[in-house]
Amino acid sequence: MRWAKPPTLSEAIAMNLLKTLGLLALVTLCRAVAAPTLDLSGDWQVSLQQPAAPTASWQSIRLPGTLTDAGIGTPLENKPELNMATLAHLQAKFRHIGPAWYRREVVIPAEWAGRRVVLDLERVLWESAVWVDGRYAGRANSLVAPHIHDLSAWLPPGRHELLVRIDNREIHPGLSHRAKEYADAADSYLAHAYTNHTQTIWNGMLGTLRLRAEEPAALERLAVFPRREPTPALRLEGTFATPPASGAGAALHFALRRADGSIVAERDENLGADGAAKFAFEWVLPAGADVQPWSEFSPALYRLEVTAAGSSAAPSAVRFGFREIVAEDGELRLDGHRISLRGTLDCAAFPLTGYPPTDVESWRKIFGRAREWGLNHLRFHSWCPPEAAFDAADELGMYLQIELPHWSLAVGKNPETWAFLQAEAERMLAAYGNHPSFLLLSLGNELQGDMSALDALVRQLRQRDGRRLYTATTFTFEPGHGRAPAPDDQFFVTQQTNDGWVRGQGIFDEQPPAFDVDYHAAAKGIRVPLVTHEIGQYAIYPDLREIERYTGNLVPQNLIAIRDDLARKGLLALAPQFTEASGRFAALLYKEEIERALRTPEIDGFQLLGLQDFPGQGTAHVGLLNVFWEPKGILSAERFREFCGPVVPLARFSKAIHERGEVFRAELQLANFERDLRSAQLSWLIRNGAGVVLAKGGCGPLDSPAGAVTTGGEIAVPIPAEGGAERWELEVSLAGREVLNRWNLWIYPASRAAAVESGRVVTSLEEALRALGAGERVLFNPPIDQIAGIPGRFVPVFWSPVHFPDQPGTMGLLCDPAHPALRKFPTEAHSDWQWWELALHSKSVVLDGLAVAPIVRVIDNFKRNHSLANVFETRVGEGRLLFCGIDVTNGLERRPVARQLRASLLGYLDSDEFEPSGQISPEQLAAIVGKARSVAPE
């Protein structure tokens, strides 16, 4: 068979760009295409060699699908080890990066004669080229939109061979940031539209796979611009696949229907009488036409059906919602009401398939889980999902931020790549612009380079389609940018402004815990809606129970390597506790992150990173949900919604640590982004650790307007002067609603000397060894700078210890609250705010191979998996040692938490329960203290 040579890449880019910017012919906006179709899903043949090559061989494959689905490609050979190759990301069982040829026979019906015949390929990575009966018929490349091939000239009625070459190599260099730390070139691409870190660099064809025959005057594109005020109307812009004959025009019937199918209004129009391919007109709906707005609280959808006069075909249809999003006075307003984005990122992580689903039900499950956890927003980080995601988001009232497939540090450097991205933006608007959920568009993630080119494209897109808001980049590290909006930004996503941080990751280790802090000072100068960028990124120890969930195309070699390393070190039984303790700690940090955003009037939302795990970039397990969008059992959705929802009670108080005799004071507020609340009543109570209510009261009534944070009043609760250390809980609720929020408080005795009835507290190694040699009980608390260990931090690993190796890299504490050494020190098994000051005045001792019993463990990161502790016990010779790597010696008059921990440890030291079981030598103890090392041991 003759196999024609396609045009060069440069020629194809020029042709495709001209075609895209002209008629937008590569995509269709009519989701429900009425033309007769041939479904091409099913059996195909595939070859990894060029068909004309003498070595070409063919295998069977089912499409839609990928080569990995079919077990075709290079098999996985990497072994699970704690190295970059393993820990970088999940591994595909089979991998092929390069061209693959897919062929099958098609039979074109006789009744298709004279019609425009189009091949629809819904999702391809990255380029598709088509031959019919050996003749080259065209090429398309897009990462965001369907590939549409006009095959009219090549597919007359009869039997034909269809050959499609899919090439998933990097078509346009510079589209993606390439991380140097990943040695494998295919692993270095980080933009999520083209990456092995979340989805894989797959080869195949996904979703809709069909030929369709279009009737004369068929619509190729129909864009609906709805409005409700002051009079309901639709502006319609369309493109005919084949322009009507000049003078005749196309008689079209438009029917606007509600979701239940009932008619709102109808209209007949004769369009294209001048032979033009495009049309635009405004349709003011009849008086009394009742149309409802689309929002998270009422996602009302409408269907516009278009039928050509005399056609027997089913109508084409577009589904949309009446909504208007604007940036007004620095606020996000949807149909005149201020909204707040409660979001997380979707980074194209699909752990069973390695590619995105194209069915609506799969996306309903994802968005449904997000709504269950109080979210109303997803940011699609450097990628655009398939049509089904928009359909599901429309139905569930989710607010989406879509991004170009773009994470570049050299924007504009490659002219062909920049031209491709401009065309991708046009394709994206054409393909998905009618969806009401498509609220925001960013040109990419953390872009750097020619920022003026980004600004120019934002201006162009704003003029072309005003149905959403635009920003040049989702944050940037470009010098002179990123801390204030670009000139044409309609919203601004950042982690830091010119006036300071707007996320806790930058300050939680530096500033004492305070719950009356907000970001007003940093945000007050921003004149467009402000959304905080990727808040969180608090690493949680991987849940190794997930391993058995991987039953598809991807292998969790990273988790297997971690499991095997823990087993070798005798720590595997602790893995579930590591996950739970680090997870509960992360949940507390996420809570304060979210509440600080809610307390800041100038902030219009936040984007978590993330509610769910990120499996790439060094195994970044930062979510309270796993990568399957399943809860880890750390925190329930109900508890998360207490501080992440449309209505959230807030309490402002200056500190969580109090001494007896003080007065606890708090200001109560209500963050309300739902509807106006009249005469709302806030109730509060304080209970102790046993659940006994110590005080209660109420604030109000108050009027709480939607879109604002309203102050309800102040409370003042005297703390009894007498008593021991306790954990209290403050709970604030909204009367008549299942809306409440809660915070921990810690109450400690006022300053007083701690008595020791027996045993000794020592701070030098020499003194400790003498006392232990004499068979004494010793609480050894050496100066922190003399301990050979890992410097203490409160905040856990940022993102991943593999992707960001230059950090202390611990993940919070794990202890047994019932241990007698902690009997007088109220704590849970995990880190909480009362540990902040202690953590920053500590070092973690490496206990690998030592016969000691940790009392306060420090969870090491999964790259090292050391056995670490701040407090442990053992025997040294005839003596009994209680070692404390937390400073409980200095400045105790102003450190009530350290004072109380010291008292609790001394109480244990003096008790009959202090009977350590392990044994270490004096030399081993000396190695811990004898010479300070402040670097994390490997």
Side-chain angles (χ1 to χ4, degrees):
M1 178 182 295
R2 184 170 59 88
W3 195 76
K5 183 180 179 182
T8 66
L9 178 61
S10 297
E11 292 169 342
I13 291 170
M15 290 188 292
N16 279 341
L17 179 60
L18 179 62
K19 193 174 183 183
T20 301
L21 296 180
L23 299 179
L24 298 170
L26 291 183
V27 295
T28 175
L29 286 185
C30 297
R31 175 61 172 160
V33 177
T37 62
L38 284 178
D39 184 4
L40 299 182
S41 61
D43 293 328
W44 287 60
Q45 290 184 311
V46 63
S47 174
L48 303 187
Q49 294 86 35
Q50 182 174 313
T55 58
S57 61
W58 296 89
Q59 302 177 66
S60 295
I61 189 171
R62 295 281 296 179
L63 297 177
T66 67
L67 293 178
T68 308
D69 290 335
I72 296 172
T74 302
L76 175 63
E77 295 181 352
N78 184 55
K79 302 301 181 184
E81 298 175 352
L82 290 182
N83 55 31
M84 180 64 79
T86 297
L87 295 176
H89 52 74
L90 302 171
Q91 306 288 329
K93 292 179 179 178
F94 296 91
R95 183 171 171 178
H96 175 75
I97 297 179
W101 286 261
Y102 301 82
R103 73 180 183 187
R104 65 162 290 165
E105 282 194 343
V106 297
V107 178
I108 304 302
E111 57 268 25
W112 285 22
R115 295 187 178 185
R116 183 172 181 257
V117 180
V118 173
L119 173 64
D120 287 348
L121 308 177
E122 182 177 350
R123 185 54 59 112
V124 170
L125 193 75
W126 182 330
E127 179 187 81
S128 63
V130 180
W131 287 259
V132 178
D133 299 328
R135 296 180 297 161
Y136 176 71
R139 182 196 316 227
N141 66 92
S142 175
L143 293 169
V144 304
H147 290 207
I148 309 298
H149 296 270
D150 186 345
L151 303 182
S152 306
W154 289 272
L155 282 179
R159 187 177 301 274
H160 303 277
E161 183 188 73
L162 185 65
L163 180 70
V164 181
R165 185 190 68 190
I166 303 299
D167 193 343
N168 63 349
R169 290 174 294 185
E170 184 185 34
I171 304 297
H172 297 285
L175 190 74
S176 177
H177 170 46
R178 297 187 65 171
K180 296 179 181 179
E181 58 265 31
Y182 299 102
D184 188 327
D187 288 348
S188 67
Y189 301 104
L190 296 186
H192 299 141
Y194 187 77
T195 181
N196 276 323
H197 284 266
T198 51
Q199 68 172 322
T200 56
I201 301 178
W202 48 270
N203 191 304
M205 292 177 257
L206 303 179
T208 299
L209 180 57
R210 67 186 174 189
L211 290 167
R212 54 184 168 87
E214 295 176 341
E215 295 185 338
L219 288 178
E220 181 174 65
R221 173 178 179 268
L222 180 61
V224 182
F225 296 78
R227 75 160 189 258
R228 290 182 64 246
E229 302 292 345
T231 303
L234 302 175
R235 175 172 173 78
L236 303 180
E237 297 180 0
T239 303
F240 291 108
T242 303
S246 182
L252 300 178
H253 179 73
F254 294 86
L256 178 62
R257 297 181 183 272
R258 300 180 182 87
D260 64 5
S262 60
I263 290 285
V264 177
E266 295 182 274
R267 175 175 177 143
D268 292 311
E269 284 286 333
N270 192 52
L271 301 168
D274 56 357
K278 297 182 179 180
F279 65 84
F281 69 94
E282 184 169 82
W283 178 10
V284 178
L285 301 183
D290 179 28
V291 293
Q292 300 300 310
W294 180 93
S295 73
E296 64 176 296
F297 304 111
S298 179
L301 294 172
Y302 292 83
R303 179 181 173 92
L304 181 63
E305 296 179 347
V306 187
T307 308
S311 173
S312 59
S316 300
V318 169
R319 193 170 70 166
F320 67 96
F322 283 87
R323 64 111 177 104
E324 182 184 17
I325 182 71
V326 299
E328 184 177 290
D329 298 327
E331 297 178 347
L332 277 179
R333 294 190 174 273
L334 186 67
D335 291 311
H337 302 286
R338 190 183 185 196
I339 62 172
S340 179
L341 302 177
R342 307 180 303 278
T344 190
L345 272 60
D346 187 294
C347 299
F350 306 101
L352 292 181
T353 61
Y355 55 79
T358 56
D359 64 293
V360 175
E361 185 55 35
S362 292
W363 287 101
R364 285 194 189 109
K365 291 179 180 178
I366 291 174
F367 294 139
R369 184 55 58 88
R371 290 303 298 266
E372 179 188 353
W373 283 69
L375 303 185
N376 64 359
H377 168 55
L378 260 75
R379 171 197 164 202
F380 285 83
H381 180 312
S382 60
W383 82 292
C384 176
E387 181 90 21
F390 293 92
D391 284 340
D394 293 346
E395 295 172 7
L396 296 178
M398 292 296 293
Y399 305 145
L400 305 185
Q401 176 180 317
I402 310 300
E403 296 183 356
L404 288 180
H406 193 199
W407 184 356
S408 173
L409 307 186
V411 172
K413 183 177 181 180
N414 185 313
E416 289 185 349
T417 298
W418 182 239
F420 169 77
L421 285 164
Q422 291 175 290
E424 287 281 78
E426 298 285 353
R427 285 190 280 263
M428 190 184 292
L429 292 180
Y432 314 115
N434 288 324
H435 290 280
S437 58
F438 188 178
L439 217 62
L440 307 169
L441 174 59
S442 169
L443 302 189
N445 175 71
E446 297 178 357
L447 302 174
Q448 295 181 251
D450 186 352
M451 307 305 283
S452 64
L454 297 172
D455 294 340
L457 182 53
V458 166
R459 287 195 298 275
Q460 174 185 327
L461 298 175
R462 288 178 60 175
Q463 294 169 1
R464 183 178 295 275
D465 190 339
R467 291 175 292 181
R468 55 201 44 83
L469 303 182
Y470 300 87
T471 193
T473 176
T474 306
F475 189 56
T476 178
F477 291 99
E478 179 73 16
H481 299 263
R483 298 193 179 190
D488 293 281
D489 283 351
Q490 293 176 291
F491 68 102
F492 178 49
V493 185
T494 190
Q495 64 185 23
Q496 193 174 14
T497 73
N498 287 319
D499 295 309
W501 286 92
V502 290
R503 75 177 192 187
Q505 205 33 280
I507 53 182
F508 279 174
D509 255 334
E510 285 72 31
Q511 298 179 2
F515 303 89
D516 55 357
V517 175
D518 59 32
Y519 301 123
H520 167 72
K524 66 182 188 317
I526 305 301
R527 302 304 179 204
V528 300
L530 171 62
V531 180
T532 52
H533 177 58
E534 296 183 356
I535 68 171
Q537 306 190 54
Y538 302 113
I540 297 171
Y541 199 90
D543 186 353
L544 304 181
R545 293 166 294 190
E546 284 178 31
I547 293 173
E548 62 185 25
R549 288 282 284 106
Y550 288 85
T551 58
N553 290 340
L554 302 182
V555 180
Q557 288 195 331
N558 48 358
L559 303 186
I560 294 169
I562 295 166
R563 180 197 65 191
D564 293 349
D565 189 55
L566 286 177
R568 283 191 296 269
K569 295 173 178 177
L571 299 174
L572 184 57
L574 292 171
Q577 297 176 62
F578 289 168
T579 300
E580 182 174 1
S582 60
R584 290 188 181 277
F585 180 32
L588 290 169
L589 298 172
Y590 276 113
K591 172 177 162 66
E592 178 59 16
E593 286 271 19
I594 291 170
E595 290 181 0
R596 289 193 180 195
L598 291 176
R599 291 194 292 261
T600 306
E602 295 85 356
I603 287 181
D604 289 86
F606 55 83
Q607 295 171 343
L608 299 173
L609 190 55
L611 180 64
Q612 76 285 17
D613 284 340
F614 184 104
Q617 290 180 19
T619 310
H621 283 215
V622 296
L624 300 178
L625 308 182
N626 62 30
V627 71
F628 299 93
W629 283 84
E630 299 167 339
K632 296 179 179 179
I634 293 167
L635 192 73
S636 69
E638 291 76 15
R639 287 298 293 266
F640 194 82
R641 287 200 306 271
E642 291 179 2
F643 54 86
C644 181
V647 181
V648 175
L650 298 171
R652 286 178 173 262
F653 51 98
S654 61
K655 59 182 182 177
I657 308 302
H658 293 77
E659 293 185 86
R660 289 195 172 276
E662 296 181 350
V663 176
F664 169 71
R665 301 180 187 277
E667 181 182 71
L668 305 188
Q669 295 182 316
L670 190 65
N672 176 17
F673 291 92
E674 185 179 278
R675 57 181 171 80
D676 291 346
L677 298 174
R678 303 297 179 189
S679 300
Q681 184 78 36
L682 288 176
S683 299
W684 63 270
L685 60 83
I686 291 178
R687 60 171 66 91
N688 64 17
V692 177
V693 175
L694 305 176
K696 62 181 180 180
C699 296
L702 69 150
D703 291 337
S704 172
V709 178
T710 304
T711 298
E714 295 184 355
I715 63 174
V717 179
I719 301 171
E722 299 301 321
E726 291 186 288
R727 181 183 64 85
W728 288 2
E729 182 181 76
L730 169 65
E731 180 183 293
V732 182
S733 59
L734 178 62
R737 296 280 300 271
E738 293 184 0
V739 172
L740 64 87
N741 201 357
R742 64 190 96 193
W743 299 262
N744 283 337
L745 309 171
W746 288 269
I747 312 301
Y748 295 104
S751 178
R752 65 186 63 178
V756 184
E757 295 182 10
S758 63
R760 302 184 63 184
V761 182
V762 300
T763 58
S764 73
L765 176 63
E766 293 76 11
E767 193 176 7
L769 291 176
R770 281 197 301 270
L772 291 166
E776 297 184 31
R777 305 178 181 201
V778 173
L779 172 58
F780 186 19
N781 188 214
I784 301 306
D785 60 2
Q786 294 181 15
I787 299 175
I790 299 173
R793 291 292 186 274
F794 179 68
V795 175
V797 166
F798 173 77
W799 191 237
S800 160
V802 181
H803 196 72
F804 294 107
D806 297 329
Q807 52 182 320
T810 53
M811 306 180 75
L813 304 179
L814 172 63
C815 63
D816 178 4
H819 193 287
L822 302 175
R823 186 167 292 151
K824 297 179 182 179
F825 187 79
T827 185
E828 295 184 82
H830 55 82
S831 293
D832 207 327
W833 296 104
Q834 91 276 26
W835 286 97
W836 180 85
E837 191 264 347
L838 300 179
L840 296 183
H841 292 83
S842 74
K843 273 191 180 172
S844 305
V845 177
V846 178
L847 303 179
D848 297 345
L850 297 181
V852 302
I855 295 173
V856 178
R857 277 191 179 274
V858 177
I859 303 169
D860 199 13
N861 72 68
F862 56 81
K863 178 68 166 58
R864 293 186 305 235
N865 288 322
H866 288 307
S867 179
L868 301 178
N870 282 154
V871 181
F872 64 84
E873 60 183 337
T874 189
R875 293 180 181 270
V876 180
E878 296 300 318
R880 285 176 278 183
L881 171 67
L882 183 58
F883 183 95
C884 184
I886 300 168
D887 181 1
V888 292
T889 298
N890 299 295
L892 297 184
E893 68 281 356
R894 64 181 184 277
R895 299 173 60 213
V897 186
R899 192 169 65 235
Q900 188 61 35
L901 178 59
R902 177 186 175 103
S904 189
L905 295 177
L906 287 174
Y908 176 54
L909 186 81
D910 189 47
S911 73
D912 293 338
E913 296 173 283
F914 182 47
E915 291 288 346
S917 58
Q919 182 84 35
I920 63 173
S921 68
E923 292 75 19
Q924 288 173 318
L925 179 59
I928 293 174
V929 182
K931 183 180 179 182
R933 286 185 288 123
S934 296
V935 295
E938 292 299 328

